Amino acid sequence: MGSGNCNDSENKLSTRNKLSLSKKVKEASIHGCFLFNGLLVILILIGIFALLVWASIPAFKEISIKEFLFSFNWNPTSYVKPSYGILSMLVSTLMVTIGAMIFAVPISIGTAAFISDIASSRVREIAKPVVEILASIPSVVIGFIGITLVGPYIAKIFNLPDGLNAINGSILLGVMALPTIISLTEDALKGVPKSYTEASLALGATKWQTIIRVRIPAAASGIIAAVMLGMGRAIGETMTVLMATGCANAMPTSFTDSVRTMTSAIAIELGEVAYGSTHYYALFAVGLALFLITFAVNLTADIIFNRRPKL
Amino acid sequence: MTNRRNNITEKIGFGILTLCLIVVVLIIVVIFTNIIINGHSAISWDFITKAPTDGMTKGGIMPAIIGTFFVTVITAIFSIPLGMGCAIYLNEYATQNMFTRLIRISIRNLAGVPSIVYGLFGVMLFVEFMHLGTCILASGLTLSLMTLPMMITASEEALKNIPMSFREGSLALGATKWQAIRTNVLPYAIPGMLTGTILGLSRAAGETAPILFTGVAFYLPYLPKGLFDQFMALPYHLYIMATQHHDITLVRPLAYGTAMVLIVLVFMMNLGAIILRYRLRKNRKE
Amino acid sequence: MEKNIIIKTKNFNFYYGDVKALTDVNIKIEKNSVTGIIGPSGCGKSTFLRSLNLMNNLILSARYEGQIIIDGEDILHKDIDVVALRRRVGMVFQKSNPFPKTVFENVAYGLKINGITNRDFIDQKIEESLKGAALWEEVKDRLNVSAFDLSGGQQQRLCIARALAVEPEILLMDEPASALDPTATLKIEELIQELKKKYTIIIVTHNMQQAARVSDYTAFFMMGKLVEYNKTNIMFTNPENKITEDYITGRFG
């Protein structure tokens, strides 16, 4: 019976067929397309790495890896003897990054704790998009603020001719790292099980003690991952440091020195260098070093994040 | 006694946390007011619609606005389909295995690759290997790679919000997998995808480092006529006006004006996305 | 009797990863009958139902052994066209899941994905299906309102109409009335009596009275095993198995 009920439509609704080949091929090829799309992402990451390595090889034919990694002297345009040590820019990068973290981390954790644990849902609804707005401000605008607003203050406070130095870069990078650290820390705090909080409150702890002694420690690995990702951002940021740190090509000795980070070195010099010269390829080598550093930082963050106890 | 001390500690503690949020909000307010107070006087109809003149000491920023618009469109054309495709693969087709784990690790790491490194990659791949030269297409492609991780994450989030019953109901009626996705998942996921996509594009519109060596120009007397022309862009124009111009103090007002246009543009895109997302969430709750 | 058998399983085993959900299920289901599947939650009754249209294939860790023969064809064979099978074996879910489309579009959905574009045919089919699901009179004037504007019971009957539109031979119902009020439940039960004239119906229910009311045959599952399977009136008056008796008399469950 069953299919016999609608004889007129039987030819229109084929109810019983073996797997039709064309349909199978179509579905499989669509699946294949999406699979390739997924594969592409891996290929891009590998491609970036491979191309940077490939472009760095000519540089390392001229420069010894030892010099590249351990010399403080970056002077590719010297008439006497060009030198290609990235150590001073590496130190510069680390300096502004650490400076940024010194003030971004406490403020971020505080803000995240406020948003997730104290704020009313109304305040939270508003605070979250506001933090997102901060993330959306283009780095070049932050850099511009560094020149026009932060710089003069620094110059006045430290009695310097201008305020374009590592402190300025640190402040700006800190501002840029805020949204990343805040939102990820907030997620981490949200992931702390209610039972922990309730247990602590039931023991007579105040809300504040619960936040400080229970919730933040319980979210620690998530927060560390957040800080590392914020650090990764700061290390790789280009335009702000390019504009606000003065970019003097020398080994910095204090935070009031002008610094040239790895990113700003690439940004400044790639535009001026002769195509195909050792200097040109050396800049790709700097890019490779930068890629590897941020990759390591991000991967570590990833591992810390995934190894956190599943609550 | 301890109770009172606890209370005081708590008050101080909460005060500090509140202060943290206030600092963050203050930073945003300072940035916006500073740019708007100093920038609004430069804004005029001519500023928006005219090209720079007199060695970029006068005139407007129209070519930079147009250039940013076009490069963002190119970015959208490449990154949206690729981002959606990858999200569809991960959320609809893929099983949890080594391969998908690898894809996810790649996405997270691509999100952390510095923008200047994308710039270097763009120079090597698009400008040199593909012989595109420095042009708006090469810049757009570079930016689309940079925004890809954001696009994927946003699209996947939107797909996750579609109830499983939409897929099951469709499959139970004899839809093929792709039919179920195309007719009963994507139509409802696209608005959600859009919000994340706009956020990603707003980031692309404000980026400088990836276009620095792939196609952006200091000054062009003409607008880009095709994909293989160089272009001017708002963020780069701001960078030049702020640091590279021969008379920086003279053009400071123009720099502020440029910063204001850029910040307003990006702000509008973000606000649009945030409002759209807010509405979607409300709809879903109902 | 053998001639009238539409579904036959042979030593059907089902696993979620390493967890065995069904063990050696052997059952024969008669054409144009209503078979009720009862058992405590987690006994595998839904798993069994969802095996009959291979919906379990959506679960990645799913694995099965044995045979499920529908109309003489082993649907577990790898060459089977899942899509065609699901068209022949319709399904109504526990929670009514109309699509966020109009009433019309919901019923037309199955036709459209099967490539039917003839407007007259679709119109006719929609009327037929909605009548079949006893919903036509209530919605005929508002085919273009959103399916979400219907009441819970109407939504569930809409899902039945949607399943009927693609002309299945078998209709699987996974606790179709569990989210409905008594009036709406009654309507669905009456509808099931009507539907069995054309379709073979298998209904999972946790409500034993419902099983007793609507089904011709009842299958009792427990811990992944088919404990007892018989005509409903026999099963509920004179169960062979002690466990069955304990269950239907409400001693556990």
Side-chain angles (χ1 to χ4, degrees):
Chain A
M1 274 243 288
S3 58
N5 290 315
C6 298
N7 288 323
D8 53 336
S9 60
E10 210 163 25
N11 45 1
K12 291 184 179 172
L13 270 176
S14 59
T15 52
R16 185 160 196 176
N17 38 8
K18 279 275 170 198
L19 204 57
S20 97
L21 191 68
S22 69
K23 202 167 65 188
K24 197 178 176 185
V25 168
K26 191 183 162 201
E27 282 292 314
S29 52
I30 289 168
H31 187 143
C33 280
F34 286 121
L35 184 124
F36 176 74
N37 207 163
L39 185 66
L40 196 64
V41 178
I42 302 175
L43 289 180
I44 292 171
L45 188 66
I46 295 172
I48 291 175
F49 176 68
L51 218 54
L52 287 174
V53 169
W54 187 83
S56 308
I57 289 171
F60 289 116
K61 279 182 184 150
E62 305 289 325
I63 314 160
S64 78
I65 291 183
K66 197 178 142 206
E67 181 196 347
F68 185 73
L69 290 180
F70 300 109
S71 161
F72 287 102
N73 207 356
W74 176 268
N75 190 2
T77 47
S78 162
Y79 291 110
V80 190
K81 188 187 176 296
S83 50
Y84 297 94
I86 62 163
L87 210 50
S88 59
M89 47 174 118
L90 188 65
V91 170
S92 301
T93 295
L94 292 180
M95 231 165 102
V96 287
T97 305
I98 290 164
M101 289 303 122
I102 285 172
F103 94 98
V105 170
I107 294 181
S108 301
I109 295 178
T111 308
F114 180 84
I115 293 178
S116 88
D117 291 3
I118 302 175
S120 66
S121 64
R122 232 7 237 272
V123 173
R124 195 178 309 143
E125 288 274 298
I126 299 167
K128 289 183 80 169
V130 167
V131 172
E132 263 178 79
I133 293 289
L134 181 58
S136 76
I137 300 175
S139 53
V140 67
V141 173
I142 306 267
F144 184 58
I145 292 283
I147 296 174
T148 57
L149 193 67
V150 183
Y153 278 110
I154 292 174
K156 218 184 278 172
I157 293 166
F158 293 93
N159 204 10
L160 299 165
D162 70 61
L164 302 181
N165 52 29
I167 301 176
N168 197 339
S170 296
I171 293 173
L172 300 182
L173 287 185
V175 167
M176 298 199 72
L178 285 173
T180 307
I181 308 179
I182 291 173
S183 64
L184 292 170
T185 302
E186 204 207 319
D187 287 347
L189 284 172
K190 238 191 283 168
V192 176
K194 247 195 171 146
S195 58
Y196 282 35
T197 316
E198 282 164 357
S200 166
L201 291 173
L203 288 171
T206 62
K207 207 171 173 190
W208 167 251
Q209 287 170 326
T210 308
I211 295 171
I212 293 296
R213 304 238 180 102
V214 177
R215 291 182 51 78
I216 291 180
S221 51
I223 296 175
I224 292 170
V227 171
M228 299 217 46
L229 285 176
M231 236 168 87
R233 290 281 142 76
I235 292 170
E237 181 44 51
T238 309
M239 296 317 286
T240 42
V241 287
L242 177 60
M243 293 166 83
T245 59
C247 297
N249 178 11
M251 182 67 193
T253 51
S254 86
F255 268 92
T256 51
D257 279 357
S258 163
V259 294
R260 179 179 289 200
T261 64
M262 300 169 78
T263 52
S264 46
I266 299 170
I268 295 168
E269 293 169 27
L270 197 67
E272 300 165 346
V273 70
Y275 171 77
S277 62
T278 305
H279 185 189
Y280 179 82
Y281 293 116
L283 289 172
F284 279 90
V286 175
L288 177 64
L290 190 60
F291 174 84
L292 290 175
I293 293 168
T294 51
F295 186 85
V297 170
N298 287 314
L299 204 64
T300 315
D302 216 46
I303 291 168
I304 293 173
F305 187 74
N306 286 321
R307 288 257 173 91
R308 78 192 187 285
K310 292 280 181 292
L311 302 168
Chain B
M1 260 318 277
T2 42
N3 257 344
R4 216 168 119 203
R5 217 180 62 209
N6 279 346
N7 272 338
I8 294 168
T9 327
E10 179 160 87
K11 284 228 169 77
I12 295 171
F14 283 10
I16 292 170
L17 297 190
T18 318
L19 201 66
C20 288
L21 178 67
I22 292 172
V23 168
V24 173
V25 173
L26 220 59
I27 289 170
I28 300 170
V29 171
V30 166
I31 293 173
F32 274 83
T33 47
N34 182 274
I35 301 263
I36 288 168
I37 288 172
N38 293 295
H40 79 276
S41 56
I43 308 284
S44 65
W45 184 243
D46 280 358
F47 188 69
I48 306 288
T49 57
K50 293 250 162 70
T53 52
D54 300 293
M56 298 212 287
T57 56
K58 291 195 182 115
I61 53 166
M62 184 268 288
I65 297 175
I66 303 270
T68 289
F69 175 75
F70 278 126
V71 83
T72 310
V73 169
I74 294 170
T75 306
I77 290 171
F78 288 102
S79 66
I80 293 175
L82 285 178
M84 278 172 60
C86 188
I88 291 172
Y89 177 71
L90 286 174
N91 201 57
E92 308 291 331
Y93 284 95
T95 52
Q96 288 300 331
N97 56 25
M98 200 54 211
F99 180 58
T100 44
R101 263 216 301 286
L102 212 58
I103 294 178
R104 286 182 197 282
I105 290 173
S106 301
I107 293 169
R108 281 196 294 269
N109 277 293
L110 280 176
V113 171
S115 52
I116 189 86
V117 172
Y118 277 107
L120 290 175
F121 182 64
V123 169
M124 263 295 151
L125 183 66
F126 301 125
V127 177
E128 290 187 7
F129 273 1
M130 292 187 174
H131 295 291
L132 298 179
T134 50
C135 64
I136 194 163
L137 178 62
S139 287
L141 285 167
T142 310
L143 285 174
S144 42
L145 291 185
M146 190 198 75
T147 48
L148 192 57
M150 270 187 97
M151 301 297 187
I152 297 171
T153 319
S155 302
E156 215 193 333
E157 209 53 48
L159 287 173
K160 274 190 192 143
N161 279 326
I162 304 302
M164 202 55 204
S165 67
F166 284 25
R167 300 176 180 90
E168 284 188 338
S170 179
L171 292 171
L173 289 170
T176 61
K177 187 153 197 160
W178 172 236
Q179 276 179 323
I181 295 169
R182 186 171 52 83
T183 61
N184 229 12
V185 176
L186 283 185
Y188 310 111
I190 279 176
M193 291 179 168
L194 213 58
T195 63
T197 305
I198 298 171
L199 290 176
L201 289 180
S202 84
R203 209 182 129 203
E207 264 296 349
T208 318
I211 58 175
L212 215 46
F213 309 111
T214 53
V216 79
F218 194 85
Y219 169 75
L220 287 174
Y222 51 85
L223 290 173
K225 289 186 186 56
L227 291 174
F228 299 102
D229 285 348
Q230 288 194 314
F231 66 107
M232 289 175 74
L234 279 173
Y236 186 61
H237 192 67
L238 172 58
Y239 168 65
I240 290 164
M241 297 304 250
T243 64
Q244 305 288 297
H245 197 277
H246 57 81
D247 194 344
I248 288 169
T249 36
L250 178 71
V251 297
R252 190 45 53 90
L254 293 179
Y256 267 115
T258 311
M260 183 167 158
V261 172
L262 178 60
I263 209 168
V264 167
L265 178 88
V266 170
F267 179 75
M268 294 304 242
M269 288 172 85
N270 276 269
L271 199 67
I274 288 170
I275 290 171
L276 187 63
R277 184 179 54 199
Y278 183 73
R279 282 210 185 146
L280 284 172
R281 275 199 193 143
K282 238 170 97 185
N283 280 346
R284 244 200 315 279
K285 271 182 199 154
E286 272 166 12
Chain C
M1 173 144 170
E2 194 68 20
K3 239 192 279 169
N4 252 340
I5 297 300
I6 186 162
I7 300 174
K8 189 162 76 182
T9 71
K10 274 188 195 158
N11 297 332
F12 180 63
N13 288 291
F14 189 90
Y15 307 81
Y16 292 110
D18 296 329
V19 183
K20 197 164 190 181
L22 291 171
T23 310
D24 287 335
V25 177
N26 287 292
I27 196 168
K28 287 175 185 170
I29 289 169
E30 201 178 312
K31 224 175 200 176
N32 293 75
S33 69
V34 179
T35 303
I37 301 182
I38 58 170
S41 38
C43 68
K45 54 190 193 296
S46 279
T47 302
F48 178 68
L49 193 77
R50 293 167 70 94
S51 298
L52 298 178
N53 65 345
L54 299 181
M55 280 306 268
N56 283 329
N57 286 15
L58 301 182
I59 299 159
L60 300 166
S61 59
R63 210 154 48 78
Y64 39 73
E65 293 157 356
Q67 285 186 318
I68 296 180
I69 295 159
I70 295 183
D71 255 0
E73 253 183 316
D74 182 8
I75 64 162
L76 302 182
H77 193 274
K78 63 176 172 40
D79 280 343
I80 201 78
D81 185 348
V82 183
V83 169
L85 171 78
R86 288 188 185 139
R87 225 174 286 147
R88 292 169 55 206
V89 184
M91 184 161 212
V92 177
F93 295 83
Q94 180 171 2
K95 201 171 168 298
S96 64
N97 61 344
F99 304 140
K101 303 176 194 281
T102 64
V103 172
F104 183 93
E105 289 294 328
N106 260 281
V107 186
Y109 182 84
L111 301 169
K112 287 191 176 158
I113 54 169
N114 285 313
I116 290 166
T117 49
N118 183 339
R119 183 74 199 196
D120 290 337
F121 178 77
I122 291 177
D123 281 342
Q124 177 208 331
K125 203 71 213 162
I126 281 172
E127 186 176 336
E128 218 176 279
S129 312
L130 285 168
K131 277 180 178 162
L135 191 61
W136 176 249
E137 290 304 322
E138 292 160 59
V139 300
K140 67 179 176 193
D141 298 323
R142 42 187 192 135
L143 292 176
N144 287 319
V145 304
S146 163
F148 290 142
D149 292 342
L150 303 181
S151 72
Q154 287 174 329
Q155 287 189 15
Q156 191 60 298
R157 275 179 283 144
L158 179 66
C159 293
I160 295 175
R162 192 176 68 188
L164 298 184
V166 289
E167 296 175 13
E169 294 158 52
I170 299 165
L171 209 50
L172 309 175
M173 295 183 163
D174 192 356
E175 306 198 22
S178 65
L180 302 179
D181 61 59
T183 331
T185 304
L186 193 66
K187 262 213 163 112
I188 300 273
E189 288 180 5
E190 284 168 8
L191 176 60
I192 289 171
Q193 294 308 317
E194 202 50 43
L195 289 172
K196 80 171 181 185
K197 292 172 190 161
K198 286 191 186 172
Y199 310 95
T200 307
I201 294 171
I202 302 168
I203 175 171
V204 162
T205 176
H206 61 262
N207 177 339
M208 265 167 298
Q209 283 73 33
Q210 188 171 62
R213 282 194 300 266
V214 302
S215 61
D216 305 313
Y217 293 87
T218 300
F220 172 56
F221 274 77
M222 185 143 148
M223 295 176 75
K225 283 184 183 147
L226 176 59
V227 177
E228 191 165 344
Y229 175 54
N230 215 328
K231 286 209 152 131
T232 301
N233 50 8
I234 298 175
M235 181 106 145
F236 277 84
T237 51
N238 190 16
E240 285 170 17
N241 200 308
K242 181 80 176 65
I243 307 172
T244 316
E245 191 182 335
D246 286 351
Y247 183 72
I248 58 181
T249 51
R251 256 172 243 166
F252 72 96

